[in-house]
Amino acid sequence: MLKNSAGNGYKVRRKRLAARLREDAAGSPAIALFFAGEETGLESFSVDPTFFYLTGVDEPGGALFMALREEELHEVLLLPPSDPAQARRSEERRVGKECRSRWSPYP
């Protein structure tokens, strides 16, 4: 669940991280991937603190993908569907070449 619906503080944090990535990459493309974590069933779920710090999301199964190419930043927040039927449909899909982003260094 997103703790802050406005999300401005989280956006600022991601922008700071992007600036650091840009500095460390020295002009090369860079990516960062963060996971929320998964429920194990043995103990109560505890979100990864870095994932929460950057997104404000405290649900299991989430992922944040950040990609930087030149001055262009792409962010994708992936969350599992709350509807089990939708989850089954999503698992049946295949990602094809047409889904690759224009900034991808891979053909």
Side-chain angles (χ1 to χ4, degrees), residues 15 17-28 30 68 70-73:
K15 287 199 178 291
L17 174 60
R20 181 65 187 259
L21 282 173
R22 188 174 289 115
E23 179 182 312
D24 290 350
S28 297
L68 181 67
E70 297 170 5
E71 294 298 314
E72 199 171 356
L73 174 66

Side-chain angles (χ1 to χ4, degrees), residues 2-18 50-57 64 66 75:
L2 186 61
K3 293 293 185 186
N4 177 355
S5 61
N8 290 335
Y10 301 108
K11 187 174 185 175
V12 168
R13 293 171 184 170
R14 290 191 307 273
K15 287 199 178 291
R16 273 192 258 145
L17 174 60
T50 303
F51 181 82
F52 183 79
Y53 179 78
L54 293 171
T55 66
V57 176
L64 173 65
M66 298 175 70
E75 300 173 289

Side-chain angles (χ1 to χ4, degrees), residues 38-46:
E38 293 289 333
E39 287 182 300
T40 62
L42 300 175
E43 51 191 57
S44 63
F45 173 72
S46 179

